[in-house]
Amino acid sequence: MNKHMPAEPVPFIDLAAQRQRLGKSIDEAVSRVIGHCQFINGPEVTQLEAALAAFSGAKHVVSCASGTDALLMVLMAKGVGRGDAVLCPSFTFCATGEAVALTGATPVFVDVDQASFNMDAASLKRGIATAKRLGLKPVAVIPVDLFGQSADHDAIAAIAEAEGLFVLDDAAQAFGASFRGRRLGTFGLATATSFFPAKPLGCFGDGGAIFTDDAELAATLRSVRVHGQGSDKYDNVRLGLTGRLDTMQAAILIEKLKIFDDEIAARNRVAERYAQGLGNVVTVPRLSSGCTSAWAQYTIRLPKGCDRDGFAATLKAKGIPTAIYYPKSMHQQTAYRDFPVADGGLPASESLSGDVISLPMHAYLDGPTQDRVIQAVRGAVST
Ligand SMILES: Cc1ncc(COP(=O)(O)O)c(C=O)c1O
């Protein structure tokens, strides 16, 4: 490389490389939809739902318009509302708690485990006690499988069962990951995922899906998805949404799902190479026992005293993008700061918000490019 030329920028997520690999298959799938004109609830929607059920092992899959709608629709279908408390981690994307607040229920924020970034069972117990003390009725818990790694679904299920809560798994970042050999989509009452383009399985716009083994819930979700429609199309029996996944997006996802397993394997190889190259200079993410990850993000923690903004600027100057997920936990954000937090506070969430940073991660990150990222990170932490 000419030393006077700026280094070629590294993509944070390389959607173009994936598109190249998929070749004409996506164009043909989109053309088929344009040909048959069934843009809403076309045959590809049912085909995708069947393919997702087969992939995950869930009995029923209800596709929908986004990951946020997937969460909201389950809460609506279960009649969650004012006076109810729903426990969720604070260190997550805002949609987790937002879906709760939109129903009129109260999100009660609990802490996460510093090593896995996922819900801390002890804080969950404290959060349930906090909710009760405030006169709220705890009805559900939303564990998040953050950055792609499965949460500890055994620990959460045990607490939820003892307290009579249903579990709604927020696997928006982790579809494709597993816990104790079972794919996400099969834990708790229901699982929500997102097909936002940057997700491990992403479409060409917004999209999402709900997974459940509960036939009655699946039927209610299908009604909520279309304005609460009843058996008579013009007699709406409950409140609902325009919550459908477009046929075009379903057609695209059918093609992408065919290579998804292979892409997850590639993401795991990228994560392994990062761990080997960076494990002795920064805190690299580790998989908890029984958990796999779809590696939506590769999130490291910087050593104490390392200036995160300076670190990001040094990498940027070398053509390497970074992102901070999340500089503020939910309970620190303006719209959410009045909601309760679990007794004992959320020290892990607050400390993670101060020192995490995510590196480029996708299935098409080749060795030499990844080595550039590794060298840049090593250089930036030692300066
Ligand atoms: C943890 C989590 N939950 C929910 C969502 C919401 O998904 P969507 O953007 O498809 O509404 C996201 C998306 O970024 C997410 O990361």
Side-chain angles (χ1 to χ4, degrees):
M1 195 197 317
N2 181 332
K3 68 179 177 173
H4 300 297
M5 295 276 285
E8 182 84 6
V10 173
F12 193 69
I13 290 169
D14 197 347
L15 294 177
Q18 184 197 50
R19 182 148 163 59
Q20 204 173 1
R21 169 175 178 185
L22 285 162
K24 285 209 168 76
S25 66
I26 298 249
D27 304 55
E28 287 166 2
V30 169
S31 290
R32 281 194 294 276
V33 177
I34 294 172
H36 67 50
C37 291
Q38 294 177 63
F39 301 117
I40 300 293
N41 282 343
E44 286 83 356
V45 173
T46 323
Q47 283 163 24
L48 173 70
E49 289 177 347
L52 290 170
F55 181 91
S56 62
K59 288 201 178 114
H60 308 279
V61 176
V62 180
S63 59
C64 60
S66 69
T68 308
D69 276 4
L71 293 166
L72 180 61
M73 284 166 60
V74 174
L75 297 170
M76 288 171 77
K78 293 296 289 177
V80 172
R82 206 158 293 284
D84 294 335
V86 177
L87 290 295
C88 48
S90 183
F91 190 65
T92 179
F93 181 66
C94 64
T96 313
E98 182 188 40
V100 176
L102 283 171
T103 67
T106 302
V108 176
F109 294 116
V110 310
D111 213 0
V112 294
D113 168 63
Q114 301 236 15
S116 67
F117 307 118
N118 282 329
M119 188 178 265
D120 173 43
S123 180
L124 171 60
K125 281 189 192 161
R126 287 196 294 275
I128 294 168
T130 309
K132 289 180 184 166
R133 186 169 46 71
L134 294 171
L136 297 165
K137 181 175 175 231
V139 294
V141 51
I142 308 185
V144 178
D145 310 289
L146 202 71
F147 303 147
Q149 179 176 190
S150 168
D152 182 346
H153 288 287
D154 281 349
I156 289 156
I159 298 168
E161 202 180 320
E163 295 285 345
L165 315 183
F166 73 83
V167 177
L168 166 56
D169 185 24
D170 182 346
Q173 303 183 5
F175 186 60
S178 62
F179 179 68
R180 301 209 190 290
R182 252 166 67 198
R183 282 232 157 100
L184 298 187
T186 58
F187 294 90
L189 173 71
T191 300
T193 201
S194 164
F195 300 129
F196 182 79
K199 299 292 189 237
L201 180 64
C203 57
F204 284 6
D206 280 310
I210 302 156
F211 302 75
T212 184
D213 281 353
D214 185 322
E216 203 181 316
L217 176 64
T220 309
L221 289 168
R222 289 183 195 285
S223 161
V224 170
R225 180 169 69 174
V226 193
H227 303 287
Q229 197 175 76
S231 48
D232 168 353
K233 190 170 165 185
Y234 294 105
D235 182 25
N236 295 299
V237 295
R238 57 177 63 80
L239 296 183
L241 305 167
T242 306
R244 296 168 296 240
L245 178 74
D246 293 349
T247 310
M248 199 91 84
Q249 301 301 347
I252 291 163
L253 285 163
I254 288 170
E255 298 309 313
K256 288 204 183 191
L257 189 58
K258 292 178 188 165
I259 59 163
F260 189 43
D261 257 333
D262 189 53
E263 289 187 331
I264 293 173
R267 283 173 183 268
N268 272 283
R269 287 194 294 275
V270 171
E272 191 49 47
R273 195 180 182 104
Y274 269 145
Q276 278 169 15
L278 296 174
N280 61 351
V281 289
V282 295
T283 306
V284 294
R286 299 280 178 202
L287 296 179
S288 305
S289 160
C291 297
T292 73
S293 180
W295 295 107
Q297 303 296 340
Y298 193 84
T299 303
I300 58 170
R301 298 186 69 191
L302 296 176
K304 269 203 173 29
C306 178
D307 165 35
R308 185 167 58 182
D309 291 342
F311 173 90
T314 306
L315 264 65
K316 192 172 174 206
K318 295 184 171 167
I320 296 162
T322 55
I324 298 170
Y325 304 120
Y326 298 93
K328 283 183 181 185
S329 291
M330 282 201 74
H331 72 286
Q332 298 171 311
Q333 297 178 26
T334 309
Y336 300 99
R337 63 169 68 115
D338 293 335
F339 290 115
V341 303
D343 289 341
L346 312 180
S349 300
E350 287 170 17
S351 120
L352 288 171
S353 292
D355 65 18
V356 288
I357 190 158
S358 302
L359 303 177
M361 163 54 84
H362 56 84
Y364 303 92
L365 192 53
D366 62 57
T369 310
Q370 204 185 349
D371 288 344
R372 248 182 78 195
V373 180
I374 291 170
Q375 287 320 316
V377 171
R378 296 188 71 87
V381 283
S382 65
T383 51

